[in-house]
Amino acid sequence: MKRISFYSILTAMLALIGAVSCKPAEELSSEAGITAFTFDTSVGANSIVTSQPSIQGNSITFTVSFDASEAQLAALVPTVTVSEGATVSPASGSAVDFSKGPVTYTVTAQDGVTTATYTAAAELDAPADLVSGTYNGTIDVIQIMPIVTDQEQDIILSKTSDETVDIAMNDVSVTAFGMTIEIGDIVMSASLSETDGTYSITGEQNLTLPIGDSPVKVEGTLKGDMLILDFSIASTMGELGVEFEGTKAAE
């Protein structure tokens, strides 16, 4: 039997090592990008986020509640996904302070040389419209004395600016003492002001109603979901008072 010498084995091993060492080293990636930027809203600190971030080029924007505090903006915890092998600073999953404006993220590629920067910024949502909506309630109609009480009626408020609102009360009619008074549609604009969460509504407008052309005045308040309005309608039949009280209908 032919014997394999130690020298032959050593020569084969050296040849194998040489072949392996001659293979080119794997190239490191130069990709440096943010591929996803999200907020897990089940995390308490992220509860103020109202829309997930949008990545446009190297700019990232997202929205938060209009009443978010500086402390809340300073505690947001984004999840950042980057190119394979790359790293990012600030690190994904770390708390980041967005209260002072845009935050710069730096991505470093796997090669340790190539970098890219992104800016991420929080934008405040528009304040919720606490005024507009349909209010279900009742009216009392008074002409010297009450002639109708607790008649079902809806009023629609439409906020037209920070300082104005449109009021619509449609198909108003009252039946009393064997006769029906057709008041018609009361549609008018009024001034709107807010103090400590209570809105004041005041207005005066000439309207054409079935009972004739009439100056109509309105005064009232809106606090929470409760709306109270008093209309004063001048007519040839004498002054009519229409008092409304109702609550905002669920959307």
PDB file of all heavy atoms in Angstrom, residues 131-137 153-158 168 225 227 244 246-251:
ATOM      1  N   VAL A 131     -67.444  73.087  17.103  1.00  0.00           N
ATOM      2  CA  VAL A 131     -68.682  73.855  16.963  1.00  0.00           C
ATOM      3  C   VAL A 131     -69.635  73.223  15.954  1.00  0.00           C
ATOM      4  O   VAL A 131     -70.811  72.982  16.246  1.00  0.00           O
ATOM      5  CB  VAL A 131     -68.358  75.312  16.551  1.00  0.00           C
ATOM      6  CG1 VAL A 131     -69.644  76.082  16.256  1.00  0.00           C
ATOM      7  CG2 VAL A 131     -67.561  76.005  17.642  1.00  0.00           C
ATOM      8  N   SER A 132     -69.141  72.962  14.751  1.00  0.00           N
ATOM      9  CA  SER A 132     -70.016  72.507  13.662  1.00  0.00           C
ATOM     10  C   SER A 132     -70.680  71.176  13.991  1.00  0.00           C
ATOM     11  O   SER A 132     -70.092  70.297  14.623  1.00  0.00           O
ATOM     12  CB  SER A 132     -69.215  72.364  12.371  1.00  0.00           C
ATOM     13  OG  SER A 132     -68.664  73.595  11.972  1.00  0.00           O
ATOM     14  N   GLY A 133     -71.925  71.048  13.537  1.00  0.00           N
ATOM     15  CA  GLY A 133     -72.657  69.800  13.735  1.00  0.00           C
ATOM     16  C   GLY A 133     -74.138  70.036  13.871  1.00  0.00           C
ATOM     17  O   GLY A 133     -74.632  71.168  13.834  1.00  0.00           O
ATOM     18  N   THR A 134     -74.864  68.931  13.992  1.00  0.00           N
ATOM     19  CA  THR A 134     -76.315  68.980  14.195  1.00  0.00           C
ATOM     20  C   THR A 134     -76.615  68.838  15.685  1.00  0.00           C
ATOM     21  O   THR A 134     -76.070  67.957  16.354  1.00  0.00           O
ATOM     22  CB  THR A 134     -77.014  67.856  13.415  1.00  0.00           C
ATOM     23  OG1 THR A 134     -76.759  68.027  12.019  1.00  0.00           O
ATOM     24  CG2 THR A 134     -78.518  67.879  13.653  1.00  0.00           C
ATOM     25  N   TYR A 135     -77.486  69.706  16.167  1.00  0.00           N
ATOM     26  CA  TYR A 135     -77.868  69.691  17.577  1.00  0.00           C
ATOM     27  C   TYR A 135     -79.351  69.315  17.677  1.00  0.00           C
ATOM     28  O   TYR A 135     -80.207  69.966  17.076  1.00  0.00           O
ATOM     29  CB  TYR A 135     -77.610  71.054  18.220  1.00  0.00           C
ATOM     30  CG  TYR A 135     -76.133  71.388  18.289  1.00  0.00           C
ATOM     31  CD1 TYR A 135     -75.449  71.862  17.168  1.00  0.00           C
ATOM     32  CD2 TYR A 135     -75.415  71.192  19.464  1.00  0.00           C
ATOM     33  CE1 TYR A 135     -74.086  72.136  17.209  1.00  0.00           C
ATOM     34  CE2 TYR A 135     -74.047  71.482  19.515  1.00  0.00           C
ATOM     35  CZ  TYR A 135     -73.394  71.944  18.383  1.00  0.00           C
ATOM     36  OH  TYR A 135     -72.050  72.213  18.425  1.00  0.00           O
ATOM     37  N   ASN A 136     -79.615  68.231  18.387  1.00  0.00           N
ATOM     38  CA  ASN A 136     -80.990  67.772  18.605  1.00  0.00           C
ATOM     39  C   ASN A 136     -81.528  68.384  19.893  1.00  0.00           C
ATOM     40  O   ASN A 136     -80.868  68.333  20.922  1.00  0.00           O
ATOM     41  CB  ASN A 136     -81.053  66.247  18.723  1.00  0.00           C
ATOM     42  CG  ASN A 136     -80.372  65.532  17.569  1.00  0.00           C
ATOM     43  OD1 ASN A 136     -79.600  64.622  17.779  1.00  0.00           O
ATOM     44  ND2 ASN A 136     -80.650  65.959  16.348  1.00  0.00           N
ATOM     45  N   GLY A 137     -82.721  68.975  19.790  1.00  0.00           N
ATOM     46  CA  GLY A 137     -83.273  69.589  20.987  1.00  0.00           C
ATOM     47  C   GLY A 137     -84.728  69.948  20.829  1.00  0.00           C
ATOM     48  O   GLY A 137     -85.453  69.369  20.012  1.00  0.00           O
ATOM     49  N   GLN A 153     -86.962  69.967  17.658  1.00  0.00           N
ATOM     50  CA  GLN A 153     -86.390  70.766  16.573  1.00  0.00           C
ATOM     51  C   GLN A 153     -84.881  70.546  16.537  1.00  0.00           C
ATOM     52  O   GLN A 153     -84.238  70.385  17.584  1.00  0.00           O
ATOM     53  CB  GLN A 153     -86.684  72.249  16.790  1.00  0.00           C
ATOM     54  CG  GLN A 153     -86.168  73.156  15.699  1.00  0.00           C
ATOM     55  CD  GLN A 153     -86.915  72.973  14.385  1.00  0.00           C
ATOM     56  OE1 GLN A 153     -88.146  72.986  14.377  1.00  0.00           O
ATOM     57  NE2 GLN A 153     -86.171  72.812  13.299  1.00  0.00           N
ATOM     58  N   ASP A 154     -84.318  70.514  15.331  1.00  0.00           N
ATOM     59  CA  ASP A 154     -82.867  70.426  15.168  1.00  0.00           C
ATOM     60  C   ASP A 154     -82.310  71.767  14.699  1.00  0.00           C
ATOM     61  O   ASP A 154     -82.983  72.518  13.992  1.00  0.00           O
ATOM     62  CB  ASP A 154     -82.477  69.357  14.131  1.00  0.00           C
ATOM     63  CG  ASP A 154     -82.777  67.952  14.606  1.00  0.00           C
ATOM     64  OD1 ASP A 154     -82.965  67.753  15.826  1.00  0.00           O
ATOM     65  OD2 ASP A 154     -82.824  67.041  13.753  1.00  0.00           O
ATOM     66  N   ILE A 155     -81.070  72.020  15.097  1.00  0.00           N
ATOM     67  CA  ILE A 155     -80.337  73.189  14.602  1.00  0.00           C
ATOM     68  C   ILE A 155     -78.993  72.705  14.073  1.00  0.00           C
ATOM     69  O   ILE A 155     -78.352  71.840  14.674  1.00  0.00           O
ATOM     70  CB  ILE A 155     -80.143  74.244  15.708  1.00  0.00           C
ATOM     71  CG1 ILE A 155     -81.421  75.080  15.867  1.00  0.00           C
ATOM     72  CG2 ILE A 155     -78.957  75.153  15.419  1.00  0.00           C
ATOM     73  CD1 ILE A 155     -81.297  76.220  16.861  1.00  0.00           C
ATOM     74  N   ILE A 156     -78.602  73.263  12.937  1.00  0.00           N
ATOM     75  CA  ILE A 156     -77.303  72.929  12.344  1.00  0.00           C
ATOM     76  C   ILE A 156     -76.389  74.146  12.452  1.00  0.00           C
ATOM     77  O   ILE A 156     -76.735  75.236  11.998  1.00  0.00           O
ATOM     78  CB  ILE A 156     -77.452  72.523  10.868  1.00  0.00           C
ATOM     79  CG1 ILE A 156     -78.351  71.294  10.742  1.00  0.00           C
ATOM     80  CG2 ILE A 156     -76.079  72.239  10.253  1.00  0.00           C
ATOM     81  CD1 ILE A 156     -78.711  70.942   9.310  1.00  0.00           C
ATOM     82  N   LEU A 157     -75.224  73.946  13.085  1.00  0.00           N
ATOM     83  CA  LEU A 157     -74.203  74.985  13.150  1.00  0.00           C
ATOM     84  C   LEU A 157     -73.077  74.636  12.177  1.00  0.00           C
ATOM     85  O   LEU A 157     -72.645  73.485  12.110  1.00  0.00           O
ATOM     86  CB  LEU A 157     -73.620  75.109  14.558  1.00  0.00           C
ATOM     87  CG  LEU A 157     -74.521  75.609  15.693  1.00  0.00           C
ATOM     88  CD1 LEU A 157     -73.686  75.815  16.958  1.00  0.00           C
ATOM     89  CD2 LEU A 157     -75.225  76.888  15.310  1.00  0.00           C
ATOM     90  N   SER A 158     -72.623  75.636  11.437  1.00  0.00           N
ATOM     91  CA  SER A 158     -71.500  75.452  10.522  1.00  0.00           C
ATOM     92  C   SER A 158     -70.493  76.563  10.784  1.00  0.00           C
ATOM     93  O   SER A 158     -70.777  77.737  10.497  1.00  0.00           O
ATOM     94  CB  SER A 158     -71.967  75.494   9.064  1.00  0.00           C
ATOM     95  OG  SER A 158     -72.940  74.494   8.815  1.00  0.00           O
ATOM     96  N   ALA A 168     -78.655  77.270  11.084  1.00  0.00           N
ATOM     97  CA  ALA A 168     -79.782  76.861  10.248  1.00  0.00           C
ATOM     98  C   ALA A 168     -80.790  76.095  11.095  1.00  0.00           C
ATOM     99  O   ALA A 168     -80.454  75.091  11.729  1.00  0.00           O
ATOM    100  CB  ALA A 168     -79.307  76.009   9.087  1.00  0.00           C
ATOM    101  N   ASP A 225     -71.182  69.942  24.630  1.00  0.00           N
ATOM    102  CA  ASP A 225     -72.172  69.541  23.623  1.00  0.00           C
ATOM    103  C   ASP A 225     -73.511  70.250  23.798  1.00  0.00           C
ATOM    104  O   ASP A 225     -74.461  69.966  23.074  1.00  0.00           O
ATOM    105  CB  ASP A 225     -72.405  68.022  23.692  1.00  0.00           C
ATOM    106  CG  ASP A 225     -71.213  67.237  23.173  1.00  0.00           C
ATOM    107  OD1 ASP A 225     -70.419  67.820  22.406  1.00  0.00           O
ATOM    108  OD2 ASP A 225     -71.065  66.059  23.534  1.00  0.00           O
ATOM    109  N   LEU A 227     -76.029  73.320  23.554  1.00  0.00           N
ATOM    110  CA  LEU A 227     -76.272  74.562  22.819  1.00  0.00           C
ATOM    111  C   LEU A 227     -77.570  75.196  23.298  1.00  0.00           C
ATOM    112  O   LEU A 227     -78.613  74.534  23.362  1.00  0.00           O
ATOM    113  CB  LEU A 227     -76.367  74.278  21.318  1.00  0.00           C
ATOM    114  CG  LEU A 227     -76.731  75.456  20.411  1.00  0.00           C
ATOM    115  CD1 LEU A 227     -75.629  76.529  20.429  1.00  0.00           C
ATOM    116  CD2 LEU A 227     -76.990  74.976  18.986  1.00  0.00           C
ATOM    117  N   PHE A 244     -84.200  77.776  22.028  1.00  0.00           N
ATOM    118  CA  PHE A 244     -83.756  76.418  21.688  1.00  0.00           C
ATOM    119  C   PHE A 244     -82.769  75.925  22.728  1.00  0.00           C
ATOM    120  O   PHE A 244     -81.903  76.661  23.195  1.00  0.00           O
ATOM    121  CB  PHE A 244     -83.078  76.405  20.317  1.00  0.00           C
ATOM    122  CG  PHE A 244     -82.413  75.091  19.983  1.00  0.00           C
ATOM    123  CD1 PHE A 244     -83.128  74.061  19.384  1.00  0.00           C
ATOM    124  CD2 PHE A 244     -81.072  74.868  20.280  1.00  0.00           C
ATOM    125  CE1 PHE A 244     -82.523  72.840  19.084  1.00  0.00           C
ATOM    126  CE2 PHE A 244     -80.458  73.652  19.987  1.00  0.00           C
ATOM    127  CZ  PHE A 244     -81.193  72.635  19.378  1.00  0.00           C
ATOM    128  N   GLY A 246     -80.456  72.201  23.173  1.00  0.00           N
ATOM    129  CA  GLY A 246     -80.218  70.865  22.659  1.00  0.00           C
ATOM    130  C   GLY A 246     -78.776  70.445  22.819  1.00  0.00           C
ATOM    131  O   GLY A 246     -77.925  71.199  23.290  1.00  0.00           O
ATOM    132  N   THR A 247     -78.488  69.218  22.407  1.00  0.00           N
ATOM    133  CA  THR A 247     -77.152  68.649  22.519  1.00  0.00           C
ATOM    134  C   THR A 247     -76.691  68.168  21.144  1.00  0.00           C
ATOM    135  O   THR A 247     -77.496  67.815  20.291  1.00  0.00           O
ATOM    136  CB  THR A 247     -77.098  67.493  23.518  1.00  0.00           C
ATOM    137  OG1 THR A 247     -78.060  66.495  23.133  1.00  0.00           O
ATOM    138  CG2 THR A 247     -77.407  67.979  24.912  1.00  0.00           C
ATOM    139  N   LYS A 248     -75.385  68.145  20.979  1.00  0.00           N
ATOM    140  CA  LYS A 248     -74.789  67.761  19.693  1.00  0.00           C
ATOM    141  C   LYS A 248     -75.021  66.292  19.416  1.00  0.00           C
ATOM    142  O   LYS A 248     -74.783  65.422  20.271  1.00  0.00           O
ATOM    143  CB  LYS A 248     -73.289  68.079  19.700  1.00  0.00           C
ATOM    144  CG  LYS A 248     -72.633  68.052  18.336  1.00  0.00           C
ATOM    145  CD  LYS A 248     -71.197  68.552  18.423  1.00  0.00           C
ATOM    146  CE  LYS A 248     -70.575  68.725  17.069  1.00  0.00           C
ATOM    147  NZ  LYS A 248     -69.202  69.263  17.163  1.00  0.00           N
ATOM    148  N   ALA A 249     -75.469  66.002  18.186  1.00  0.00           N
ATOM    149  CA  ALA A 249     -75.715  64.619  17.794  1.00  0.00           C
ATOM    150  C   ALA A 249     -74.387  63.929  17.522  1.00  0.00           C
ATOM    151  O   ALA A 249     -73.420  64.539  17.071  1.00  0.00           O
ATOM    152  CB  ALA A 249     -76.590  64.574  16.545  1.00  0.00           C
ATOM    153  N   ALA A 250     -74.332  62.628  17.805  1.00  0.00           N
ATOM    154  CA  ALA A 250     -73.119  61.862  17.533  1.00  0.00           C
ATOM    155  C   ALA A 250     -72.889  61.810  16.025  1.00  0.00           C
ATOM    156  O   ALA A 250     -73.818  61.678  15.246  1.00  0.00           O
ATOM    157  CB  ALA A 250     -73.270  60.462  18.093  1.00  0.00           C
ATOM    158  N   GLU A 251     -71.611  61.904  15.627  1.00  0.00           N
ATOM    159  CA  GLU A 251     -71.276  61.877  14.201  1.00  0.00           C
ATOM    160  C   GLU A 251     -71.215  60.439  13.708  1.00  0.00           C
ATOM    161  O   GLU A 251     -70.919  59.534  14.433  1.00  0.00           O
ATOM    162  CB  GLU A 251     -69.935  62.584  13.973  1.00  0.00           C
ATOM    163  CG  GLU A 251     -69.995  64.059  14.323  1.00  0.00           C
ATOM    164  CD  GLU A 251     -68.666  64.764  14.061  1.00  0.00           C
ATOM    165  OE1 GLU A 251     -67.695  64.061  13.675  1.00  0.00           O
ATOM    166  OE2 GLU A 251     -68.609  65.978  14.218  1.00  0.00           O
TER     167      GLU A 251
END
